[in-house]
Amino acid sequence: MALTTGCTGATVQGRPGASGLRDPYFPRAGNGGYDVEHYALDLAYDPSDGELHGTAVITARAVQGLSSFNLDFSGLKVEGVEVQGAGARFNRTGNELTVRPAEDLRKGEVFRTRVDYSGRPKALVDPDGSKEGWITAEGGDAVAVGEPVGSMGWFPGNHHPSDKATYDVTVTVPRGYEAVSNGELRSRRDVGDGRTEFAWHSAEPMASYLATVAVGKFKVTTGKTPSGVSVYQAVAPGEEEASRAVLARVPEMVEWGSATFGPYPFGTVGSIVMPARTLGYALETQTKPVYSGAPDEELVLHELAHQWFGDSVSPKSWKDMWLNEGFATYAEWLWAESHGGVSAQRRFEAFLAGDTSVDDHADVDWAAFPPASPPDAAHISDDPVYYRGAMVLHRIRQEVGDASFFDLLRGWAADHRYGNASTADFTAYAERRTGVGLKKVWDVWLYGDGRPKG
């Protein structure tokens, strides 16, 4: 089908969108030819049989004329696809769902794709061996976690952090279960047949790896922070007592973060505490981090810091992970420093010396590789990304002084709010914002091989 552009009158032919965005570590993640604006996910899950039934309506804008486009989707059976209300042809190859609309899409056209699907979702295994995607706990409770590409295991989409969108997630579960997702709970209602429907809305853009759904017989508590942010805590049975004290400090942490990094970027905050051993890690799922068992204070602070660094300001590619983890780790150091604990300077010195009397992690191999250049996908969450990443930030602080450093943190979070940023964006911004040349920090600490001396 020949299409005519409005600005030039030239005839163009729709062409297939790319089947990946050539991420340095996950080249097949994401897709080209369109940008997603909104996901509307309507899910039904029954813990007794593990079956997930879903409808995804994806609103996107074509950035080129499209004869076909891809969605990242793993495992589940596709029952039908429509584009702009008309049936579309589709086929599956690995984790790629290729969709061929009945008519080519024009460049700039906003289009809606509906995908109906079902099945028993399975966990995916990361290059580092950890599991992600739809994770089932004992008794059939489930939680969806997506870093880096696990979200394709429970809904089709453009699963790369560079394509952020707003979300509406509706989940129907048997009565007696809670269904928790990102953002604000818009409604909870009995829909008959012994089922309850939960409708969640995320007004701020979100990378798909940060989307979550958790189903379980959670104990739910709600409240507000002193500045008016809504709080929603969902805790699995058996984890309430051990979680109570640290989750009670979440409002305090939000207020501290707002004073340190700038206004909290979302309208809600909370936690999802799954039964212990559900996962081998915690994840900063937007507005409601997921924990496997009762978390401690450092972990909760770390995941909350990600709401600024990683969730609001998201990486352009998976090579930029230190902008998530280095910042959240340094936030732990700042929290301790401001609450009568070990200073960031002393902690920095402890890592240089391997002094575990100051920090239990000080003897890790934080210098194994530069934080801005992990060797491959299996190492994007290794110790240098976290600890040497934090040390990069402390070196900036040493060079520019406290006033400029904290202004830099607040400015970075404000000027890139709800967007994406790369390491190159940060290094240029840091020098421009502080007015200090930081080439030595970048050359030695951020990109340099070997073990820096201080």
Side-chain angles (χ1 to χ4, degrees):
M1 178 179 178
L3 301 173
T4 303
T5 62
C7 58
T8 67
T11 299
V12 296
Q13 183 71 37
R15 64 187 193 277
S19 61
L21 293 179
R22 298 184 181 180
D23 183 274
Y25 300 130
F26 297 90
R28 298 301 297 274
N31 302 285
Y34 65 94
D35 289 324
V36 178
E37 296 179 351
H38 183 71
Y39 290 93
L41 307 178
D42 191 349
L43 309 174
Y45 180 71
D46 189 341
S48 68
D49 61 16
E51 286 280 333
L52 178 69
H53 298 268
T55 295
V57 178
I58 304 163
T59 303
R61 183 181 298 275
V63 299
Q64 66 177 61
L66 285 171
S67 59
S68 67
F69 59 91
N70 280 29
L71 298 169
D72 303 311
F73 195 40
S74 176
L76 296 165
K77 179 184 178 182
V78 177
E79 297 169 340
V81 179
E82 294 180 357
V83 178
Q84 299 293 60
R89 291 181 296 144
F90 63 90
N91 67 281
R92 304 284 294 273
T93 303
N95 295 326
E96 298 290 336
L97 171 62
T98 301
V99 178
R100 294 174 176 81
E103 296 186 359
D104 283 11
L105 299 166
R106 302 182 307 276
K107 181 178 179 180
E109 181 177 355
V110 175
F111 64 99
R112 287 175 177 81
T113 303
R114 172 178 170 141
V115 181
D116 295 307
Y117 58 96
S118 65
R120 292 186 178 181
K122 297 179 180 178
L124 288 77
V125 179
D126 287 345
D128 67 3
S130 60
K131 291 184 178 181
E132 55 170 324
W134 191 272
I135 308 296
T136 304
E138 186 175 346
D141 292 3
V143 64
V145 285
E147 188 179 79
V149 294
S151 293
M152 67 179 175
W154 61 282
F155 70 96
N158 200 19
H159 291 303
H160 188 269
S162 61
D163 193 3
K164 301 172 77 167
T166 56
Y167 282 72
D168 282 285
V169 180
T170 301
V171 190
T172 303
V173 293
R175 187 180 297 133
Y177 284 86
E178 302 287 327
V180 185
S181 189
N182 313 87
E184 172 193 358
L185 180 61
R186 284 284 180 86
S187 66
R188 169 184 178 153
R189 65 190 185 97
D190 188 331
V191 293
D193 297 326
R195 299 181 305 156
T196 307
E197 176 194 89
F198 297 78
W200 293 88
H201 175 68
S202 294
E204 301 88 3
M206 177 166 67
S208 67
Y209 80 91
L210 299 168
T212 191
V213 165
V215 176
K217 295 183 177 181
F218 301 113
K219 170 69 174 179
V220 173
T221 57
T222 61
K224 284 189 179 295
T225 69
S227 60
V229 177
S230 297
V231 180
Y232 192 102
Q233 313 276 28
V235 182
E239 304 293 344
E240 300 102 318
E241 185 62 33
S243 300
R244 185 172 293 114
V246 66
L247 295 188
R249 299 196 72 180
V250 166
E252 175 191 356
M253 292 178 179
V254 171
E255 300 303 302
W256 174 85
S258 297
T260 306
F261 309 129
Y264 179 73
F266 306 111
T268 64
V269 68
S271 312
I272 299 170
V273 180
M274 296 297 295
R277 296 181 297 281
T278 302
L279 300 168
Y281 54 88
L283 187 64
E284 63 270 19
T285 42
Q286 193 158 301
T287 71
K288 293 180 185 66
V290 170
Y291 304 100
S292 188
D296 62 22
E297 182 179 306
E298 274 193 351
L299 184 57
V300 172
L301 191 282
H302 182 102
E303 304 307 332
L304 280 176
H306 274 310
Q307 305 306 305
W308 286 265
F309 306 112
D311 293 16
S312 176
V313 185
S314 301
K316 279 186 178 175
S317 82
W318 289 112
K319 192 173 185 178
D320 302 310
M321 269 282 279
W322 85 276
L323 291 173
N324 292 16
E325 301 302 348
F327 276 65
T329 301
Y330 198 67
E332 293 179 44
W333 297 9
L334 293 176
W335 168 264
E337 179 178 86
S338 64
H339 288 78
V342 176
S343 70
Q345 175 63 27
R346 189 177 174 206
R347 205 176 299 262
F348 177 82
E349 292 168 352
F351 273 84
L352 287 175
D355 185 356
T356 55
S357 69
V358 175
D359 189 304
D360 291 341
H361 302 100
D363 62 348
V364 302
D365 191 5
W366 56 263
F369 57 82
S373 298
D376 53 44
H379 293 84
I380 62 171
S381 295
D382 280 7
D383 291 330
V385 174
Y386 287 69
Y387 300 110
R388 186 164 164 181
M391 295 169 86
V392 168
L393 294 174
H394 192 72
R395 282 292 296 115
I396 297 170
R397 184 180 177 185
Q398 290 175 327
E399 293 290 326
V400 305
D402 277 12
S404 290
F405 177 73
F406 286 101
D407 175 74
L408 168 63
L409 292 185
R410 289 187 289 270
W412 177 250
D415 291 346
H416 296 80
R417 189 178 177 95
Y418 306 139
N420 295 84
S422 68
T423 297
D425 293 331
F426 176 73
T427 56
Y429 184 88
E431 295 197 354
R432 185 170 66 251
R433 184 85 181 193
T434 65
V436 177
L438 296 166
K439 184 177 186 298
K440 185 177 179 181
V441 176
W442 313 142
D443 289 351
V444 174
W445 282 90
L446 190 55
Y447 290 106
D449 292 321
R451 187 181 181 91
K453 302 299 183 183

